[in-house]
């Protein structure tokens, strides 16, 4: 089995996001990842990060999530 790659996804926080509690932000993150994964043109499958792999920098206005991924073609072929 191929080792999964990982990288940091960074999303800017909206003014509303800066005021959200972490569970709400995490729920939004899950919805975003699901939407990205469903796009045909997006070549990756991004796995849901563990809550401990997500940081929120409210002062800097960014949410960072350490995510693992595999190429869709490899996942379909059973190589992922």
């Amino acid at each position: 089995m191929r080792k999964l790659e990982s990288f940091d996804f960074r999303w800017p926080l909206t003014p509303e996001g800066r005021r959200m509690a972490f569970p709400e932000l995490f729920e939004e993150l899950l919805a975003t990842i699901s939407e990205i994964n469903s796009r045909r043109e997006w070549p990756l499958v991004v796995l849901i990060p563990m809550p401990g792999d997500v940081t929120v920098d409210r002062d800097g206005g960014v949410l960072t999530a350490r995510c693992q991924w595999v190429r869709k073609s490899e996942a379909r072929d059973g190589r992922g």
Side-chain angles (χ1 to χ4, degrees), residues 3 6 9 27 32 43 56:
K3 181 181 176 224
S6 63
F9 267 123
E27 195 172 302
T32 300
V56 179

Side-chain angles (χ1 to χ4, degrees), residues 5-9 11 33 46-49 65-69:
E5 301 288 333
S6 63
F7 63 103
D8 288 340
F9 267 123
W11 285 276
I33 290 172
V46 178
L47 303 180
I48 302 298
R66 186 76 165 155
C67 297
Q68 293 184 314
W69 61 271

